[in-house]
């Protein structure tokens, strides 16, 4: 497995650039690396991001020419290191805020032995998970500035540059800095980790999911969220301090006793590094005087750094969804890590096989996957609330430029297979016209990935990914997580027919 290309230890070379080879050439020639595949010019900034006046004033400068003592990382990576610049990539920065809590993830993304000192050659590299494979992305360290100051993400510590270089590497993967405008926290969390994610939809008048979020935090999950859309444009600050249509990091979930009553709290971080909640349980709220001195000392921080507490009730009123990213769905049911098994497939829809209608003649030509759901072991329950399958369907873009990607409406259907058909090699059109799916994802457009978590009784099933666009040729990535006794489920239990 360690030699397989596309793993964290052996990532694919993005655009066929070999970091070690390029760095060695630059060191031997005593030159500073300049990346021709992502040149320091307006093409890398992208279209319609800066006005003509700003674009004309942009100068690409290396950190060694900005400060006397540049460092990639100063005293470890922290969620308080950076602040957002003139780029609407709060979704990306909210995800960075989440991963700074876990050094193992940061070490995968930022490979070791990189610095501005020994054998410095103006070249760095970062790693991301992209559609089933890890990729190694090489960049030069020329950064866009105006009047000597970084115009996009920047560190609060003047000589620390990991956020700016990481943002540049991700901009290269996505096509340009302009391609980072607007997105979902879940998208960046997936690209940082390759882990499963699950989205919770919040209801303003029904505060729930706090216990699930608490479990997610206990299982070292990464969490982000998005504020609700209002009548105003994006990034409008409300009187209560919340910014509309904006991404935040969830940095903690905690319960306190206030005047003897239990209160559920959520802590959030604004990637701007400022603009905090002003309501109850904010830094200046008198409610903090009602909790124990121990909790007040432990939890309350009056710094204006963009991080704040709010009650679960206020959280649900102001935020629309929560994205949770974890190694396995274990946090969803508090089960054992060993009980969840994952299998992944990379496949394609071919021309004239894409059809949403099971009455049509092409639906059966979509890829078909067997899935066996075994009997639960004696320590597991068969209650209807026990959800034991999580399916993720991700479509792979044809364009490198993220802003040009057209995410097609995609979904999947799950059919139960009766015993008499379990020797079937391929299921014909007649099976789908006479059978109804036992589970079906909503057909979603405008999103690259559909994720559903549900319960299936023991038996054999067929999963059929589909798109509603006729004559479409496109690649997709299917992941199936199943919760069962470890000895009774293997990757072969879910296979392509």
């Amino acid at each position: 497995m360690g030699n397989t290309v596309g793993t964290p230890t052996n990532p694919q070379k993005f655009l066929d650039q070999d970091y070690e080879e390029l760095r060695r050439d630059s060191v031997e020639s005593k030159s500073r690396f300049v990346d021709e595949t992502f040149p320091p010019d307006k093409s890398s900034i992208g279209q319609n991001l800066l006005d003509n006046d700003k674009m004309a004033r942009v100068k690409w400068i290396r950190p060694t020419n900005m400060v006397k003592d540049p460092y990639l990382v100063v005293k470890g990576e922290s969620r308080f290191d950076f602040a957002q610049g003139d780029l609407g990539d709060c979704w990306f920065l909210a995800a960075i805020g989440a991963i700074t809590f876990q050094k193992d993830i940061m070490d995968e993304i930022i490979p070791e032995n990189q610095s501005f000192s020994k054998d410095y050659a103006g070249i760095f590299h970062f790693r991301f998970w992209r559609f089933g494979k890890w990729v190694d992305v090489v960049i030069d360290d020329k950064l866009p500035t105006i009047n000597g100051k970084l115009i996009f993400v920047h560190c609060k510590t003047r000589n620390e540059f990991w956020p700016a270089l990481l943002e540049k590497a991700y901009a290269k993967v996505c096509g340009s800095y302009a391609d980072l405008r607007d997105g979902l926290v879940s998208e960046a969390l997936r690209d940082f980790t390759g882990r499963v994610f699950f989205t919770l939809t919040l209801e303003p008048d029904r505060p729930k999911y706090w216990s699930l979020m608490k479990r997610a935090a206990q299982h070292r999950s990464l969490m982000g969220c998005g504020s609700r859309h209002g009548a105003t444009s994006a990034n409008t600050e409300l009187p209560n301090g919340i910014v509309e249509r904006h991404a935040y990091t969830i940095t903690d979930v905690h319960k306190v006793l206030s005047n003897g009553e239990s209160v559920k709290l959520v802590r959030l971080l604004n990637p701007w590094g400022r603009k905090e909640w002003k309501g109850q349980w904010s830094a200046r709220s008198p409610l903090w005087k009602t909790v124990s001195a121990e909790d007040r000392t432990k939890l309350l921080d009056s710094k204006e750094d963009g991080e704040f507490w709010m009650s679960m009730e206020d959280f649900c009123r102001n935020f629309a969804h929560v994205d949770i990213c974890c190694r396995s769905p274990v946090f969803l049911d508090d089960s054992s890590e060993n009980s969840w098994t994952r299998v992944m497939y990379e496949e394609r829809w071919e021309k004239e096989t894409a059809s949403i209608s099971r009455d049509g003649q092409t639906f059966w030509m979509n890829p078909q996957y067997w899935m066996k759901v075994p009997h639960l072991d004696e320590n597991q329950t068969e209650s209807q609330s026990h959800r034991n399958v999580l399916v993720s369907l991700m479509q792979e873009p044809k364009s490198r430029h993220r802003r040009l990607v057209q995410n097609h409406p995609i979904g999947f259907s799950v059919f139960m297979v009766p015993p008499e058909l379990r020797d079937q090699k391929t299921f014909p059109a007649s099976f789908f016209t006479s059978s109804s799916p036992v589970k079906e994802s909503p057909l979603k457009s405008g999103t690259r990935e559909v994720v559903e978590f549900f319960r299936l009784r023991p038996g054999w099933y067929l999963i059929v990914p589909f798109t509603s666009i006729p004559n479409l040729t496109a690649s997709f990535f299917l992941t199936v997580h199943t919760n069962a006794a470890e000895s009774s489920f293997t990757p072969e239990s879910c296979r392509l027919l």
Side-chain angles (χ1 to χ4, degrees):
M1 186 70 179
N3 293 325
T4 303
V5 176
T7 63
T9 55
N10 188 25
Q12 280 188 341
K13 296 176 177 61
F14 187 69
L15 300 182
D16 294 321
Q17 289 180 298
D18 187 307
Y19 167 76
E20 296 295 344
E21 182 179 305
L22 292 170
R23 183 174 180 275
R24 184 172 57 251
D25 290 346
S26 295
V27 170
E28 290 176 354
S29 63
K30 297 182 179 180
S31 61
R32 298 288 183 263
F33 175 67
V34 177
D35 186 8
E36 296 180 355
T37 67
F38 197 64
D41 59 31
K42 62 181 181 180
S43 67
S44 294
I45 290 179
Q47 298 178 358
N48 303 318
L49 181 58
L50 302 178
D51 59 35
N52 291 335
D53 176 62
K54 278 190 174 182
M55 186 71 85
R57 294 159 56 202
V58 170
K59 291 185 178 179
W60 295 76
I61 304 177
R62 299 185 191 272
T64 49
N65 294 323
M66 293 186 207
V67 297
K68 293 181 179 179
D69 54 344
Y71 286 87
L72 183 62
V73 180
V74 176
K75 296 180 180 179
E77 301 94 348
S78 165
R79 64 191 185 280
F80 301 122
D81 283 350
F82 57 89
Q84 186 175 339
D86 294 338
L87 177 57
D89 61 348
C90 58
W91 59 281
F92 169 71
L93 299 179
I96 292 180
I99 64 174
T100 55
F101 283 92
Q102 300 190 29
K103 187 178 185 302
D104 57 335
I105 297 178
M106 294 301 299
D107 289 346
E108 280 188 341
I109 297 170
I110 306 177
E112 61 182 358
N113 299 324
Q114 301 188 88
S115 74
F116 291 95
S117 53
K118 184 180 179 181
D119 291 333
Y120 166 71
I123 182 172
F124 290 84
H125 66 137
F126 299 86
R127 291 172 181 170
F128 305 102
W129 184 92
R130 299 286 287 175
F131 308 104
K133 295 181 176 62
W134 283 88
V135 295
D136 190 77
V137 183
V138 175
I139 59 168
D140 63 42
D141 64 351
K142 288 194 168 188
L143 297 169
T145 68
I146 292 180
N147 297 328
K149 294 183 178 181
L150 294 171
I151 56 177
F152 301 132
V153 71
H154 53 278
C155 252
K156 297 175 183 178
T157 303
R158 63 170 185 81
N159 61 341
E160 188 172 23
F161 289 93
W162 72 264
L165 294 172
L166 177 62
E167 182 185 55
K168 180 175 182 177
Y170 197 62
K172 177 177 177 176
V173 167
C174 294
S176 72
Y177 281 97
D179 284 280
L180 297 187
R181 284 185 300 186
D182 301 325
L184 299 173
V185 180
S186 59
E187 182 179 341
L189 289 176
R190 278 285 262 169
D191 287 352
F192 282 148
T193 67
R195 299 179 179 181
V196 63
F197 83 89
F198 190 74
T199 298
L200 306 174
T201 301
L202 303 175
E203 299 177 39
D205 54 349
R206 289 188 62 201
K208 57 181 180 177
Y209 297 132
W210 186 90
S211 295
L212 192 150
M213 291 165 60
K214 181 65 175 175
R215 289 203 305 271
Q218 291 170 341
H219 285 285
R220 302 183 73 235
S221 300
L222 310 170
M223 290 187 281
C225 57
S227 55
R228 296 191 179 278
H229 294 201
T232 58
S233 59
N235 293 342
T236 297
E237 183 186 1
L238 299 174
N240 64 14
I242 298 299
V243 180
E244 289 187 318
R245 297 177 61 188
H246 188 49
Y248 290 74
T249 308
I250 296 176
T251 60
D252 199 4
V253 183
H254 201 82
K255 188 184 292 185
V256 297
L257 283 178
S258 171
N259 290 326
E261 294 186 2
S262 179
V263 179
K264 298 171 182 177
L265 299 177
V266 181
R267 191 175 69 187
L268 298 97
L269 175 68
N270 185 339
W272 288 355
R274 54 190 178 86
K275 300 295 182 183
E276 300 180 5
W277 164 248
K278 300 175 182 177
Q280 293 186 339
W281 298 104
S282 61
R284 295 179 176 82
S285 171
L287 288 173
W288 285 105
K289 296 178 181 179
T290 68
V291 305
S292 68
E294 180 183 356
D295 276 345
R296 193 160 55 247
T297 301
K298 178 182 177 181
L299 304 177
L300 185 57
D301 188 346
S302 58
K303 293 179 183 177
E304 177 66 29
D305 52 18
E307 191 170 58
F308 56 87
W309 290 95
M310 64 194 312
S311 70
M312 187 64 185
E313 290 78 10
D314 283 326
F315 176 68
C316 290
R317 291 188 192 103
N318 287 275
F319 289 84
H321 64 268
V322 175
D323 292 319
I324 302 177
C325 183
C326 193
R327 288 187 185 276
S328 77
V330 61
F331 69 90
L332 291 167
D333 62 357
D334 210 18
S335 58
S336 165
E337 285 280 358
N338 292 332
S339 67
W340 284 93
T341 303
R342 180 183 70 174
V343 62
M344 299 178 288
Y345 288 98
E346 188 173 8
E347 263 296 331
R348 291 174 61 81
W349 288 294
E350 298 295 347
K351 189 175 181 180
E352 298 180 355
T353 65
S355 172
I356 186 174
S357 174
R358 288 184 299 280
D359 296 328
Q361 297 302 308
T362 61
F363 187 83
W364 72 277
M365 299 171 69
N366 284 303
Q368 302 174 12
Y369 297 85
W370 273 114
M371 180 179 67
K372 179 184 178 182
V373 177
H375 287 278
L376 303 175
D377 66 26
E378 60 183 10
N379 295 320
Q380 293 174 301
T381 175
E382 290 214 22
S383 68
Q384 288 300 314
S385 62
H386 181 85
R387 293 182 287 180
N388 56 353
V389 178
L390 189 147
V391 178
S392 161
L393 177 64
M394 174 188 287
Q395 54 188 308
E396 188 169 352
K398 294 181 179 180
S399 173
R400 173 183 160 193
H401 284 271
R402 184 173 170 273
R403 71 180 185 277
L404 300 179
V405 171
Q406 290 185 324
N407 285 318
H408 306 292
I410 61 173
F412 60 86
S413 296
V414 181
F415 300 85
M416 192 166 193
V417 179
E420 63 270 19
L421 295 180
R422 287 177 188 170
D423 293 330
Q424 194 86 19
K425 299 301 182 183
T426 302
F427 287 78
S430 59
F431 173 81
F432 298 104
T433 55
S434 61
S435 304
S436 297
V438 293
K439 297 292 179 182
E440 193 163 42
S441 70
L443 190 69
K444 294 184 179 180
S445 60
T447 180
R448 72 173 186 175
E449 187 168 10
V450 174
V451 181
E452 293 294 327
F453 183 49
F454 47 84
R455 170 175 169 73
L456 292 177
R457 297 189 64 81
W460 285 91
Y461 295 87
L462 195 66
I463 301 178
V464 182
F466 61 81
T467 171
S468 65
I469 306 299
N471 302 320
L472 175 71
T473 299
S475 298
F476 65 83
F477 190 74
L478 179 72
T479 307
V480 180
H481 294 260
T482 301
N483 185 359
E486 185 178 17
S487 61
S488 62
F489 183 85
T490 64
E492 288 73 27
S493 297
C494 180
R495 64 184 188 274
L496 178 65
L497 288 178

